[in-house]
Amino acid sequence: MMKKTAVITGADGGMGSEITKAVAMAGYHVIMVCYTSFKGEEKKSRIILDTGNEDIEVVQADLSSMESVVDAVDKIKDKTPSVELLMNNAGTMCTHYVRTEDGFEHTVAVNYLAPYLLTRRLLPIMHEGSRIVNMISCTYAIGKIGPHFFTKGREGSFFRIPIYSNTKLALWLFTREMSERVKGRGITVNAADPGIVSTNIIRMDEWFDPLTDIFFRPFIRTPRQGAETAIRLLLDEQFGNLTGRMFASSKEKKVSEKYIHHPQTKELWKMTEQNLGRFLDSGEI
């Protein structure tokens, strides 16, 4: 019997490594999507030693480049005929404005457009029982999707935290819409909120960050603690039939009606399709 396959983005990062390790221990064929092959292979070797599962592969991808995302999907399809688990874990928070080769704001490209495109292009090899989990953030609740979301991240001047929040709102709206579109195929799509986690996204280069560190460090979770909710959504049987929901601390999170039926959900989907048109497979889902 062929092993089931799990695809994990940002698999060489703190939470990504923990998720990869847990899925490998569960016996999956794991494909680690990593920014650099070197770091990915290094993490892969450690995870093999920790789990004993040697069926782990690395696919390099720069998630700020949509061409690189498409190339990564082609490589994944060469390695497996089906995907049972897709973990959209990779994320970033740029400290200054960067415009990608495709004309998108960098944080928007990595945090929202890449998981959207990766998921859309992997759907043909997903099936009943497949699970998709998107890593969001509690900051989605202060996010706003404006006219310049794709190219600038937000309205007005650059500020990293609002842009990050906007991408997490977009990823939540994608979770909601995608869950409805693939429900008939028996594929589940959920969002995991890891809480405040000690990862490379938290940077101490603003005057207030050292103070924030002093007061909030006791509440900051380890990568393993932050990854726990996503791991359970991927692997636990009790979550197998739930879809279109948000979870935190391994429990369903109450989401206000505004965000369950957000007025921009379908508009954002349409805008995203338009912006990614040349990278998407033909056909609606």
Side-chain angles (χ1 to χ4, degrees):
M1 184 176 176
M2 185 174 292
K3 268 189 178 181
K4 294 181 178 180
T5 297
V7 175
I8 302 164
T9 69
D12 53 344
M15 286 194 294
S17 295
E18 295 294 343
I19 296 167
T20 301
K21 190 184 300 184
V23 172
M25 288 185 71
Y28 282 78
H29 164 218
V30 186
I31 299 177
M32 303 172 65
V33 180
C34 305
Y35 181 62
T36 65
S37 296
F38 175 78
K39 188 177 177 183
E41 292 292 343
E42 188 177 53
K43 290 282 187 177
K44 167 187 163 181
S45 297
R46 293 180 194 172
I47 291 169
I48 288 174
L49 286 174
D50 290 341
T51 66
N53 184 348
E54 297 184 354
D55 199 4
I56 303 175
E57 301 182 81
V58 173
V59 168
Q60 188 278 328
D62 175 358
L63 298 182
S64 71
S65 163
M66 298 304 106
E67 196 63 55
S68 183
V69 173
V70 171
D71 183 59
V73 171
D74 290 342
K75 290 176 181 175
I76 291 168
K77 288 180 177 179
D78 285 342
K79 296 176 182 296
T80 182
S82 68
V83 169
E84 281 67 40
L85 305 178
L86 171 57
M87 180 71 231
N88 287 311
N89 164 72
T92 190
M93 188 194 299
C94 285
T95 58
H96 60 284
Y97 179 72
V98 177
R99 189 181 178 93
T100 71
E101 63 185 33
D102 304 306
F104 304 123
E105 192 279 326
H106 189 274
T107 302
V108 173
V110 174
N111 291 4
Y112 172 62
L113 292 171
Y116 179 101
L117 181 59
L118 186 76
T119 303
R120 285 284 301 264
R121 293 191 69 100
L122 283 177
L123 275 177
I125 60 170
M126 301 185 83
H127 53 82
E128 185 174 0
S130 291
R131 302 187 192 187
I132 300 167
V133 178
N134 298 320
M135 193 72 83
I136 63 158
S137 161
C138 60
T139 62
Y140 81 91
I142 59 171
K144 296 179 181 179
I145 309 297
H148 298 99
F149 171 67
F150 293 96
T151 56
K152 294 184 178 180
R154 71 185 295 252
E155 304 308 300
S157 59
F158 181 91
F159 188 26
R160 59 178 179 162
I161 296 174
I163 292 173
Y164 179 81
S165 303
N166 295 347
T167 65
K168 293 306 181 178
L169 172 59
L171 194 58
W172 166 243
L173 299 187
F174 167 64
T175 301
R176 287 289 302 165
E177 183 66 14
M178 179 62 81
S179 69
E180 289 298 318
R181 289 174 179 254
V182 300
K183 187 184 293 184
R185 292 177 53 187
I187 300 171
T188 64
V189 191
N190 290 296
D193 174 4
I196 303 173
V197 182
S198 180
T199 69
N200 290 335
I201 285 181
I202 300 176
R203 297 171 61 91
M204 298 299 151
D205 55 5
E206 297 281 358
W207 70 267
F208 55 81
D209 282 343
L211 291 175
T212 302
D213 187 48
I214 290 170
F215 289 113
F216 290 97
R217 180 61 60 183
F219 305 102
I220 294 177
R221 298 179 177 184
T222 65
R224 172 62 200 190
Q225 291 171 329
E228 184 63 27
T229 297
I231 290 169
R232 295 196 64 189
L233 286 174
L234 290 168
L235 298 176
D236 283 13
E237 186 175 340
Q238 71 181 89
F239 298 115
N241 295 318
L242 302 178
T243 192
R245 306 186 191 187
M246 187 186 301
F247 294 81
S249 300
S250 300
K251 298 177 182 178
E252 185 171 353
K253 189 172 181 177
K254 185 174 177 57
V255 179
S256 71
E257 181 66 19
K258 173 184 175 181
Y259 294 103
I260 293 293
H261 300 289
H262 197 281
Q264 289 180 287
T265 302
K266 294 191 181 300
E267 177 190 359
L268 178 63
W269 183 280
K270 182 178 179 180
M271 290 167 58
T272 307
E273 279 195 326
Q274 291 172 348
N275 277 275
L276 294 179
R278 65 192 178 96
F279 301 106
L280 290 167
D281 290 326
S282 60
E284 285 285 337
I285 61 168

